[in-house]
Amino acid sequence: MIVAACARGPGPVHVVSIRVAQGPIGESLREVGVGGAAIDDAVRSALVEAGFEIGEGGRPHRAEVEVLSVRLAPPNASGGPPRVEVAVQIELTSAEPARPSSAREAGAGWATLGPSPGKAWADALFAAARQASEGLALSFAAEAKPIGKAIEDLSSKDRRVRDHAIRVLAERRAVEAVPALIERLRDEDPRVTHRTIGALAQIGDERAVGPLIDLSRAGDPALAARVARLIGDIGGREAEGYLLTIEAGHPDHRVRSAAAEALAEMAERGRKAAEASASRK
């Protein structure tokens, strides 16, 4: 459970309004007695539990809620009772135009279907809203942390903490985090690995090129093509040499094409840099 995690910044985040998006999936909840008011209440309670304040105050944000999925799961092979599953997404957007910020998290919850179906659906909804709210609290907490603490968070056992730390370090282009981020290329969670790949490209430090090349050789052509483009964004001699090699000889046409495009973009950046340098002389 996250306790007031979002209050570690310059004062707690206040949620001044909650809007439940209308849609066919949300209508499925209303058919089982969980209408818009119940969704609003569940989200409100979950946000408070995660440390957000409801009502006017500092750091005001508006909440947008969307029901992503509603599912009745049949009994499993061992004869267990059926259960209901709900997934929701909560997005918080700053209500202050001069201080724009936003964060979005999804959560999933389930409950065993018993004699009171409406309660089961409500319990699953609250569990989903709580998971999303905890993710939002972690997101706001991560933004308030210094770079050193964010680097420490890369070793957290909680996948969400690692994920938010990577996002924050990428946004700050924290070159001092590159060695620790390279370690996360071997993360046990593929979502963290993919977030790390993008973060290293965003930071743009050439120390990441070699490890990214090693990762691209794992055998997945789609990953190799993505990494080729990102290595091109980072640039440097090692990147250029690798891209020339796979453009000429990689067995997958997608990878060859990505390498060719990355090389063309590198050449264009080099041309523009040379023109800019000549104009300053």
Side-chain angles (χ1 to χ4, degrees):
M1 175 179 171
I2 308 299
V3 180
C6 56
R8 296 180 191 153
V13 173
H14 284 73
V15 179
V16 298
S17 66
I18 298 175
R19 178 181 176 273
V20 179
Q22 301 299 314
I25 298 177
E27 183 61 35
S28 298
L29 275 181
R30 285 186 282 274
E31 290 175 357
V32 294
V34 184
I39 297 174
D40 184 289
D41 288 344
V43 170
R44 188 180 303 269
S45 298
L47 288 170
V48 169
E49 186 176 294
F52 294 91
E53 298 281 350
I54 303 296
E56 298 294 334
R59 303 172 73 192
H61 283 67
R62 298 186 180 93
E64 178 87 12
V65 184
E66 181 180 0
V67 179
L68 299 178
S69 68
V70 173
R71 178 172 178 263
L72 174 62
N76 56 37
S78 62
R83 70 182 197 177
V84 296
E85 300 173 354
V86 178
V88 300
Q89 176 179 277
I90 305 174
E91 182 173 11
L92 293 181
T93 304
S94 174
E96 297 179 300
R99 299 172 60 185
S101 71
S102 66
R104 181 172 57 195
E105 289 288 333
W110 65 272
T112 300
L113 187 62
S116 177
K119 183 179 184 305
W121 285 108
D123 288 347
L125 169 65
F126 178 73
R130 180 169 55 193
Q131 187 179 88
S133 297
E134 289 179 352
L136 287 167
L138 287 171
S139 178
F140 279 92
E143 291 174 1
K145 292 178 181 179
I147 287 177
K149 179 57 179 172
I151 292 174
E152 290 179 12
D153 283 349
L154 294 176
S155 300
S156 171
K157 293 181 179 179
D158 189 327
R159 188 272 306 172
R160 298 175 301 173
V161 174
R162 301 196 303 275
D163 196 59
H164 287 304
I166 293 166
R167 175 182 57 79
V168 166
L169 291 168
E171 290 173 353
R172 298 181 189 177
R173 288 180 166 78
V175 294
E176 58 267 56
V178 168
L181 285 169
I182 289 172
E183 290 297 315
R184 293 273 62 81
L185 289 175
R186 297 191 294 272
D187 197 277
E188 61 188 21
D189 192 305
R191 292 169 293 183
V192 174
T193 298
H194 283 282
R195 171 86 75 176
T196 302
I197 294 170
L200 288 169
Q202 190 170 344
I203 294 171
D205 190 295
E206 292 184 21
R207 288 175 293 175
V209 171
L212 286 171
I213 289 173
D214 292 340
L215 181 67
S216 72
R217 290 171 172 158
D220 180 1
L223 176 62
R226 181 190 177 205
V227 170
R229 294 299 304 268
L230 295 178
I231 286 175
D233 291 340
I234 296 173
R237 290 181 178 273
E238 185 177 12
E240 183 178 16
Y242 173 70
L243 291 171
L244 286 169
T245 299
I246 61 174
E247 181 198 25
H250 198 281
D252 193 283
H253 71 91
R254 293 170 294 178
V255 180
R256 295 195 302 273
S257 176
E261 292 174 4
L263 286 166
E265 291 175 1
M266 287 179 63
E268 180 64 15
R269 290 200 304 272
R271 183 187 65 78
K272 290 181 178 179
E275 291 178 351
S277 177
S279 66
R280 290 194 294 268
K281 293 180 181 179

